[in-house]
Amino acid sequence: MHLRWGHADEVEVLAFDIFGTVVDWHGSIVREMSALHPQVDGDAFALAWRAGYRPAMARVMSGELGWTLIDDLHRRILDEILPQFGLAHLDEAARSHLNRAWHRLDPWPDAVAGLQRLKRKYIVCTLSNGNLGLLTRMAKRAGLPWDCVLSAEVFRAYKPDPATYRGVARVFDLPPQRVMLVAAHHDDLEGARACGLRTAYVERPLEFGAGKVKDVSPQAANELHSRDLLDLAEQLGC
């Protein structure tokens, strides 16, 4: 699926979802657990940790919790699940190091090269619920060539709050239709589209691991559908 380009509303900024779209959170957490705690089922641990993500954000979005960084939400979830995996004995230093695993996530194999190509023609930035420290350390380690790091922390709102999507356009002083969200999650893209952004879907069938393959079928509402970021670069003429 290709965009019908128009001179007045040409896309200038590509804003990227991060967890699952640019980096392989599941595989990375499995690898961390294999190295740190090989007796633990890394697949189950990664899925349990991620499963707490939306409920924790919902508590912030409802006002039950005050504004909280994702690092701190990840730590709350981690402390809750450790006993389930026989790791209740971990001390503060070990818990803190494990929680930083989210700063050490590996990019998908196509991500760095794809971003480098897209960066030649577009401003490329993050639009993630991850906090600024997390996203910056992740980019530094993984070699992700962002022009700008934007986060829910900047807007004090988590996606899919309209403040996040509209915030990107505001940062770059652009109308929303000149910003495109790139994501592997249809609900994220739907939120962006409702705010006037363009949308590009990226297939990440193994986001939740080989045991839980995702349906990555195209949805007509997205202007672009790509196999990976190299394919997206090709479609966008980069």
Side-chain angles (χ1 to χ4, degrees), residues 97-120:
H97 177 73
L98 183 53
N99 199 51
R100 286 285 186 96
W102 295 92
H103 296 205
R104 301 187 291 270
L105 301 182
D106 297 321
W108 293 108
D110 57 278
V112 174
L115 288 171
Q116 287 170 339
R117 283 177 57 179
L118 290 161
K119 183 183 169 83
R120 296 173 197 163

Side-chain angles (χ1 to χ4, degrees), residues 176-198:
Q177 67 269 22
R178 297 192 66 180
V179 178
M180 172 176 276
L181 181 72
V182 182
H185 310 111
H186 287 298
D187 56 347
D188 197 3
L189 295 169
E190 184 179 343
R193 203 160 41 244
C195 293
L197 277 65
R198 304 293 188 92

